Structure formats: C-alpha cells, structure tokens
Amino acid sequence: MNELNAIAAIAERDLFKFLRDRARLIGAFVFPFLLMFLMGGTLQLNLGKAAGFNFIGFTFTGVLGMTIFQSASQGIASLLEDRQNDFAQEIFVSPISRYSIVIGKIIGESMVALAQAAPLILFAIVLRVPLTALDILLLVPVAVLGCLVGGSFGLLGMSVINDQRAANQIFGFILLPQFFLAGVFNPINVLPWYLEILSLISPLRYVVDLFRGVVYMGRPEYHKVVLLDPEINLMVMALMFAVFIVTGTALFVRRETNR
Amino acid sequence: MWSADAPAVEVDDLVKRYRKAKVNAVDGISLRVEAGEFFALLGPNGAGKTTTISILTTTLAPTSGRIRICGYELAKEPSEVRRRVGIIFQNPSLDRNLSGEENVRLHAILYGLYPYRPAFRLMPDEYRTQVRELAAVLGMETDIQQPVKKLSGGMQRKLEIIRGLMHRPSVLFLDEPTRGLDVASRRSLWAYLREVRERYRVTIVLTTHYLEEAEQADRLCILNHGRIVAMGSPGEVRLSPAEEFLELDATDRAQLRLELKKLNLNFEEDGAFTVRLDGRSAHEVIRSLDVPLTRLRTRQPSLEDAYLKILADE
C-alpha cells in the first residue's frame, strides 16, 4: 500500500509541475494545433485528392501519437533534471522501491501527455475530422498505451545519458527522424529498404499506426492509411514496452547506486 | 531490533573508488557514532566527507567495507536504513515547483507516514496538526503554503530540516547545512538544530567547513585524502597535535631574540615574540631566560591551529 501511495504522490508531482508551468502549457497546446492546422491543411489542399484520404485526419492521428509519445518520453528525462537540482536525492533516500520511483514517473508523465492530448481531440472536432463518440472512447486506452511505450522508451534513453542538456539534444536527434519514419505527417506505405528498416525499429511508428487503426476502422480509406492490423501493433508495442522498461529500469537503478 | 544503547552508526574499513578514478575517494575509514551523539566530519574539499555521507545514506554504493546504521546492515537492508535516517543535503533538495507543504507531504507519503491525498485539506488531521506545529516552531505558518521559490535560503534550509524530521529519524545527516547562508540565517538554523536535538534526542552526523560549527560537536573526525587523520572530542583534537605557545616581549628585544635562539626554540616575531614550546614546559623556558620581560602570556592552541597542523603534517 505504501508503494502505491508513493507512486501516486510521485505521479501527481509531475502533473502539478506541468500545470503550473505557463510557458510549457501554452507551448504544449499551441504547437500541435499549428502542426495539425498548417501541415494537415496544406497537405490536404495539395495532395488530398491524389492520396484518396483526408490529410487533416491523417495528420491529427499522427500528431496525437507524436504528442503522446514525445511528451511521455521527454518527461521521463526530467528525472535527470531532478538529479541536477538534487531533488532526486530526496526521492532516492526514501524507503520506497526504485521500481516504484520509475513507475510513478511514467504514470505522472503519462498524465501530462494525456492532458496534452485532450485539447488536440477538441481541435480535431473543430477541424471537422470525422470522429464518432466510440472513436474518441477508443482513443483513450490507445493513448495510455502510447504513453507507456513513450515513457519506457524515455527511461531507456535517460538511463544511458548523464545530464539534462545532453538528454534534450540526444532526444531531439532520436525523435525528429522518427516523426518522418513513423509517418506522422507523411504516408510511409512505400519506403526504400534502408528507411524501411529504420521505420520498423521506430517505436513511434506502431503508436501512430494504432491510433490510425482505431480512427479509420471500418472506413473505405482504411487500407490506404493503416499499415498493420491493430493486433500486430499492440503486440509489437507490448514487446517494446517490456524490453524498454526492464532494461531501462535495471540500467537506471544500477547507475544511480553505482555512481 | 536496534537497542538505543547500540551505536547509531558503525563503519568498518569503508572504501570508495569512483569509476575511472585512480585513487580512493574514501580510503579505509572506520568509526562509531553513539546513539544521541553529535558527531562532526571535518576536512578540506575533496577529503571524502560528502562521499562518506552519501554512502551512509544509501545514495552511493561503497567499493568495500561494512556499515551498520541503527543495527541494520546497509548492504542487506537499505530500506530499513532509509527509514531510520534523515538527510539534509549539501545542495537544496526541495522541489521549487511545489509549495513548502507539498514538499513536506510528498516526503511524508514516500516514508509511508500517511496515505496519499491530492490536497492538504484532504490529509488526515494528524498530519495537518503536525505540519502546523512544525511551521509554528519556525514561524512560517503562512509561508509554508507558499511556493518554495518564494522562500529565503535560510527558510528553505529550515523547511528541509522539518521535512527530514517528519519520519522521526534516529540519525540525522547534515551535509554542510549552512553552506551559502548568511550569518544571521546560520545562527538561527543552529538555534533550531539545538532545539531539535533536545526535543527529538536524534543522533546528528554533520559535515562542515566551519570550525566553530564542528567545535559544538561531542566528537569530531578530521578527514584528509579519504583517510581519518584525527578523531576525538574537540578538546582532545585541539590538544593532540598542536603545541602550546608563549607570547613574550622585552624592552631589549635583541637580547630576548639571542636567548631564544640559544635555547633552540622556534619563534615568530610580529611586534612581540610567539614562541612554540616544542614539548617543553612554559615554566622551564621562562626560568632559562635572563632578559627582563615586559609581556608574558601562554596561549592554548585553537581548533583551527590543530586542524591546520594536522593537515600540514599529512
């Protein structure tokens, strides 16, 4: 029970931190909206007819996946910031399990990511993306799964990086190519073999594709937009989550105590 | 079960070598701190004080050695150790995004003292009373609900101590707690710490650069290059390496200088003569002098004299 209380307290702290940071709040809401509006709008006008599907809806699912994944993965890296501010020591000298710290952190950053996803869905409705109530309901568990994969990916990355500055640079370097390899804004049905390999090992690809699988289920353009069956995406995400969380936690805990 | 008569801290042959380092940061330290004792670790930068404290509080793994805190083997039962220690870190470890009370609440929940609740008003009555009492002791009844970033450095330090004491630790580690504080804040913090010691009968292990702070301790230990170079009560450490001095002066200073040289005594001239006794008694030296003296005073070595002598002898 103590561990559950501790996990809740650590998770709550991250959500409060986000809600109290005005600049981060504004950026988190405005940036994805602009991406959806500008990118989706221009792609739809220029390529929509030729592609045979609506690019605003396509970009919405991509940006939703990207926001969830990026927020959760980069949020975990804030443990590095905590350590530099020496706040992490307070958590690490407490008698809770190291695993509870990591789980609390992932849940907290997942809540932050979900808080950012909610206005995106509202923007999508405003921009007339055809979403049913069932679609919206199904987006919630997919978003939670996307957070878990993003958070565990962030944990693995953070466990081999030493400081926040390096983390920001390296995460940017790892995440930016993934936006294109995962098809956040661009279709990736056809890729040269070397980019196909890189795309297949990008976790974000499966998160975005699962969002699309849910939103486009039963629609005529489903096979033009969705790459893999949702079951396959789910299995790959579960496997990636398991590998990332076990390796990341082990490396992180070992490094924290063996410094 | 730990008995209050047993040592609060026992360290045997502790060694820490950081990865890629060529020398040990802590090099075979052994010490005991009794329950209720105020123990100070003193030493220059890089002496190994913070490394030792980090190991004793489980944030750093030792390379070798055996440590028991309140009877619990640190290597085997780190959670039991963590439950029994409180630590005030060298650098402030408050979350600046939270209020003072939220920092305290997070600590209380992490230590399993109270169940998680998302707001102060939803916390159990006992918690709210405890926080109000602690805030009253520090005179920060309203400030405790303020964001930490709005509190002064001294107030933040006190808040960390409040937080560190919430779980009633048996041993409180203070790693240079007054670093960066002005004189008034330092004095006020020490007054509070004395009160804490009396009220909670907590064992205190302090690291400090300030000799006047170390002098308040029951016992102190001087570290240099990761090794213990002196240990004992401040009085014992003061007397162990440093010599007593004689301060002398005479109208005929040339004659006094000549006689001191004849006696093979080391002395410094700065207006008057400061003479190191080098194992001789003051009485013996004075009897050997023929020149009429205008000034005669013996001087006990200060802790600073002893500290500098010990480090110089290393």
Side-chain angles (χ1 to χ4, degrees):
Chain A
M1 195 61 191
N2 281 352
E3 297 290 330
L4 290 180
N5 281 316
I7 288 169
I10 292 171
E12 182 204 50
R13 174 185 164 259
D14 277 340
L15 186 62
F16 278 1
K17 204 171 154 182
F18 169 68
L19 295 175
R20 287 172 187 178
D21 190 338
R22 200 174 296 167
R24 202 172 152 208
L25 268 178
I26 294 170
F29 294 149
V30 172
F31 188 61
F33 175 70
L34 285 179
L35 275 180
M36 250 170 79
F37 185 67
L38 297 178
M39 201 76 138
T42 48
L43 284 171
Q44 172 60 20
L45 279 174
N46 291 285
L47 300 169
K49 272 190 185 162
F53 57 83
N54 186 305
F55 261 99
I56 296 184
F58 182 86
T59 312
F60 159 66
T61 45
V63 172
L64 185 60
M66 178 193 84
T67 305
I68 290 277
F69 186 86
Q70 185 182 12
S71 172
S73 61
Q74 285 196 308
I76 296 295
S78 67
L79 254 179
L80 289 171
E81 186 192 333
D82 286 342
R83 194 171 55 203
Q84 275 165 9
N85 294 336
D86 284 301
F87 174 74
Q89 292 189 68
E90 157 69 4
I91 297 183
F92 275 91
V93 294
S94 71
I96 59 166
S97 145
R98 314 296 85 175
Y99 298 97
S100 297
I101 296 172
V102 169
I103 293 167
K105 200 73 196 165
I106 289 180
I107 293 175
E109 291 305 332
S110 297
M111 291 197 297
V112 171
L114 292 174
Q116 292 177 66
L120 260 180
I121 295 171
L122 279 178
F123 297 152
I125 295 167
V126 170
L127 295 173
R128 295 186 183 170
V129 174
L131 287 174
T132 64
L134 181 67
D135 289 340
I136 295 171
L137 271 180
L138 282 172
L139 285 179
V140 176
V142 175
V144 172
L145 293 173
C147 289
L148 294 178
V149 177
S152 60
F153 177 75
L155 175 68
L156 181 64
M158 192 262 301
S159 65
V160 290
I161 302 171
N162 283 323
D163 65 81
Q164 180 73 24
R165 204 168 148 195
N168 288 338
Q169 287 169 346
I170 293 170
F171 270 88
F173 184 73
I174 295 171
L175 287 174
L176 188 67
Q178 279 200 66
F179 298 159
F180 301 101
L181 292 167
V184 169
F185 315 107
N186 51 308
I188 51 166
N189 304 54
V190 181
L191 286 173
W193 65 268
Y194 47 91
L195 289 184
E196 183 72 28
I197 293 171
L198 291 174
S199 174
L200 285 169
I201 58 169
S202 299
L204 181 57
R205 171 189 168 123
Y206 304 95
V207 177
V208 169
D209 203 41
L210 186 60
F211 272 116
R212 288 187 178 139
V214 168
V215 170
Y216 285 89
M217 182 80 72
R219 300 222 174 111
E221 64 266 44
Y222 179 87
H223 290 290
K224 288 181 183 168
V225 174
V226 180
L227 301 168
L228 296 167
D229 285 340
E231 296 83 0
I232 298 175
N233 282 324
L234 268 176
M235 280 196 302
V236 177
M237 283 166 68
L239 183 71
M240 283 185 163
F241 172 72
V243 172
F244 294 161
I245 194 95
V246 170
T247 320
T249 308
L251 286 175
F252 179 69
V253 171
R254 194 180 68 173
R255 192 185 60 182
E256 281 302 311
T257 45
N258 287 348
R259 273 183 299 138
Chain B
M1 190 67 192
W2 178 61
S3 144
D5 299 331
V9 179
E10 288 174 270
V11 177
D12 288 323
D13 203 16
L14 177 64
V15 173
K16 174 67 187 178
R17 181 175 291 200
Y18 287 102
R19 270 187 286 172
K20 295 179 187 167
K22 288 180 180 159
V23 291
N24 292 337
V26 173
D27 195 11
I29 283 180
S30 296
L31 53 89
R32 271 166 74 104
V33 180
E34 301 302 330
E37 197 176 8
F38 176 9
F39 187 84
L41 282 171
L42 201 58
N45 287 334
K49 306 183 298 290
T50 296
T51 301
T52 305
I53 290 261
S54 300
I55 293 170
L56 297 182
T57 53
T58 77
T59 56
L60 194 63
T63 304
S64 65
R66 181 171 167 270
I67 299 154
R68 287 171 76 84
I69 308 277
C70 300
Y72 290 94
E73 197 86 36
L74 187 136
K76 290 178 187 160
E77 297 169 289
S79 285
E80 292 300 330
V81 169
R82 290 186 193 117
R83 264 177 230 290
R84 283 158 183 82
V85 303
I87 173 156
I88 311 304
F89 298 101
Q90 196 176 95
N91 298 313
S93 65
L94 295 166
D95 187 335
R96 294 170 57 80
N97 295 296
L98 303 182
S99 72
E101 184 279 322
E102 284 168 340
N103 270 282
V104 173
R105 187 173 357 132
L106 179 63
H107 180 94
I109 295 168
L110 291 178
Y111 280 78
L113 305 177
Y114 299 99
Y116 164 76
R117 297 286 182 272
F120 177 65
R121 63 177 186 282
L122 300 175
M123 289 297 282
D125 287 344
E126 197 188 338
Y127 166 82
R128 286 186 290 161
T129 310
Q130 195 179 352
V131 169
R132 285 193 190 111
E133 278 174 9
L134 286 168
V137 169
L138 291 185
M140 54 186 297
E141 292 93 328
T142 49
D143 288 340
I144 199 159
Q145 300 293 350
Q146 293 288 317
V148 164
K149 54 186 135 193
K150 289 191 178 170
L151 301 176
S152 68
M155 204 57 101
Q156 289 186 23
R157 268 317 202 194
K158 284 182 185 174
L159 185 63
E160 287 190 279
I161 295 174
I162 285 188
R163 186 184 65 176
L165 292 168
M166 278 294 283
H167 61 287
R168 300 271 193 272
S170 302
V171 187
L172 185 62
F173 290 94
L174 303 165
D175 191 7
E176 296 188 25
T178 53
R179 199 171 79 151
L181 295 186
D182 57 43
V183 178
S185 299
R186 254 167 55 198
R187 283 199 180 160
S188 143
L189 186 70
W190 273 106
Y192 177 60
L193 277 170
R194 274 190 285 274
E195 195 184 319
V196 160
R197 218 185 141 208
E198 279 168 26
R199 186 186 282 212
Y200 300 107
R201 308 176 70 81
V202 64
T203 306
I204 291 182
V205 178
L206 166 84
T207 75
T208 184
H209 278 304
Y210 298 111
L211 296 162
E212 69 270 24
E213 286 181 358
E215 204 141 22
Q216 307 294 315
D218 297 322
R219 278 193 313 137
L220 58 89
C221 168
I222 300 178
L223 292 179
N224 198 19
H225 303 303
R227 290 191 303 275
I228 294 176
V229 290
M231 185 151 58
S233 69
E236 288 165 352
V237 171
R238 200 165 35 228
L239 291 175
S240 60
E243 299 291 339
E244 269 187 298
F245 296 95
L246 264 182
E247 282 181 13
L248 304 174
D249 206 356
T251 313
D252 188 353
R253 284 182 172 166
Q255 179 61 27
L256 177 57
R257 192 178 300 118
L258 193 70
E259 289 185 22
L260 289 173
K261 278 183 180 166
K262 269 189 192 165
L263 291 169
N264 285 326
L265 285 164
N266 291 311
F267 60 91
E268 284 172 19
E269 269 188 77
D270 182 17
F273 292 69
T274 303
V275 183
R276 267 177 57 182
L277 289 174
D278 291 328
R280 293 183 228 188
S281 72
H283 181 73
E284 181 190 338
V285 171
I286 295 159
R287 275 188 58 185
S288 312
L289 296 172
D290 295 325
V291 63
L293 297 171
T294 55
R295 181 174 182 178
L296 167 60
R297 214 171 80 180
T298 57
R299 205 184 85 193
Q300 294 290 325
S302 66
L303 185 58
E304 187 174 315
D305 293 326
Y307 177 71
L308 293 173
K309 174 88 168 54
I310 288 166
L311 295 185
D313 289 349
E314 267 288 290

